[in-house]
């Protein structure tokens, strides 16, 4: 097993762009306000587990249940679209359960899935697997998960640093970017369904 620094760096940068943890900071802050506390460790571990598991069994799993990667990406684009609408329009579509497991629910949905280990990153993993050695992709995933953990842990400090107005501006800007990513993901994959 040989590690290739160039492959690791490339896979890391591709996943980092798709996951867009910096762009998700406003969602994380907003979610933390809704549920009180986000379990950073659980969210990071669950997202990492989903991504590594999908790297190995993703294509087979989707084929087994009769779903192709393009259909999966189209469905995921809708989830991203609605999350982006929440950010841009300042509305609430995702209603959290007001029970004692709210912070665990927030750790799993929507942080671990679909924000981090979402259709964009999962389909990207399948694409990377065709180009790079699997051990290099796993290292890239782990590096992204470490970065995610640091952002989740310091989200309150980031919020204080940016202030309420700064958070709102970033939220709107990244909401539009996320909207564009969802439209692109939809457009790229919907045409593949009719080929």
């Amino acid at each position: 097993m040989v590690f290739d620094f160039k492959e690791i760096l490339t896979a890391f940068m591709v996943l980092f762009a798709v996951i867009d943890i910096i762009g998700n900071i406003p969602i994380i802050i907003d979610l933390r306000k809704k549920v009180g506390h986000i379990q950073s460790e659980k969210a990071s571990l669950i997202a990492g587990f989903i991504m590594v598991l999908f790297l190995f069994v993703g294509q087979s799993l989707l084929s087994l249940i009769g779903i192709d990667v393009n259909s999966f990406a189209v469905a995921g684009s809708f989830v991203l679209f609605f999350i982006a609408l929440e950010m841009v329009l300042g509305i609430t579509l995702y209603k959290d359960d007001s029970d004692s497991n709210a912070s665990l629910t927030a750790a799993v949905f929507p942080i671990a899935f679909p924000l981090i280990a979402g259709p964009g990153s999962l389909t990207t993993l399948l694409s990377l697997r065709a180009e790079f050695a699997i051990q290099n992709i796993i290292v890239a995933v782990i590096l992204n998960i470490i970065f995610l953990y640091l952002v989740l842990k310091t989200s309150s400090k980031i919020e204080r640093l940016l202030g309420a107005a700064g958070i709102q501006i970033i939220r709107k800007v990244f909401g539009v970017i996320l909207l564009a990513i969802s439209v692109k993901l939809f457009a790229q994959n919907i045409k593949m369904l009719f080929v």
Side-chain angles (χ1 to χ4, degrees):
M1 185 169 24
V2 180
F3 292 99
D4 183 336
F5 181 73
K6 189 177 175 215
E7 280 194 8
I8 292 169
L9 185 64
T10 306
F12 171 79
M13 293 307 290
V14 169
L15 282 169
F16 186 79
V18 172
I19 292 170
D20 190 25
I21 190 61
I22 302 298
N24 288 324
I25 288 173
I27 298 173
I28 292 163
I29 290 168
D30 193 48
L31 204 59
R32 193 170 41 78
K33 283 179 183 167
K34 285 182 187 176
V35 298
H37 170 72
I38 292 171
Q39 298 177 18
S40 309
E41 297 84 3
K42 269 197 178 110
S44 304
L45 288 172
I46 290 168
F49 176 75
I50 291 169
M51 289 171 79
V52 172
L53 183 68
F54 197 81
L55 183 62
F56 287 101
V57 300
Q59 191 83 49
S60 310
L61 184 66
L62 291 177
S63 299
L64 182 69
I65 55 177
I67 299 172
D68 58 86
V69 176
N70 302 111
S71 299
F72 183 75
V74 168
S77 72
F78 286 116
V79 175
L80 293 176
F81 180 81
F82 289 119
I83 291 169
L85 279 182
E86 280 191 339
M87 293 172 72
V88 174
L89 302 176
I91 56 175
T92 304
L93 298 171
Y94 167 68
K95 301 250 190 278
D96 59 314
D97 300 326
S98 55
D99 60 7
S100 57
N101 293 325
S103 66
L104 177 60
T105 304
V108 178
F109 181 85
I111 292 178
F113 184 85
L115 284 181
I116 308 307
S121 54
L122 297 181
T123 46
T124 301
L125 284 172
L126 293 181
S127 306
L128 290 172
R129 185 157 183 195
E131 294 179 53
F132 302 134
I134 203 153
Q135 68 269 17
N136 296 326
I137 300 169
I138 291 170
V139 172
V141 167
I142 291 168
L143 292 174
N144 271 288
I145 294 304
I146 290 168
F147 192 79
L148 161 70
Y149 173 74
L150 294 173
V151 169
L152 287 174
K153 266 300 194 208
T154 59
S155 63
S156 55
K157 288 178 185 156
I158 293 168
E159 182 184 17
R160 280 196 301 274
L161 185 72
L162 295 174
I167 294 294
Q168 283 304 316
I169 292 166
I170 290 174
R171 186 173 165 80
K172 303 271 186 222
V173 169
F174 281 106
V176 172
I177 291 169
L178 190 61
L179 203 55
I181 290 169
S182 71
V183 169
K184 184 180 177 193
L185 192 63
F186 178 83
Q188 281 179 338
N189 289 280
I190 196 75
K191 59 186 173 194
M192 298 303 289
L193 296 177
F194 300 105
V195 173

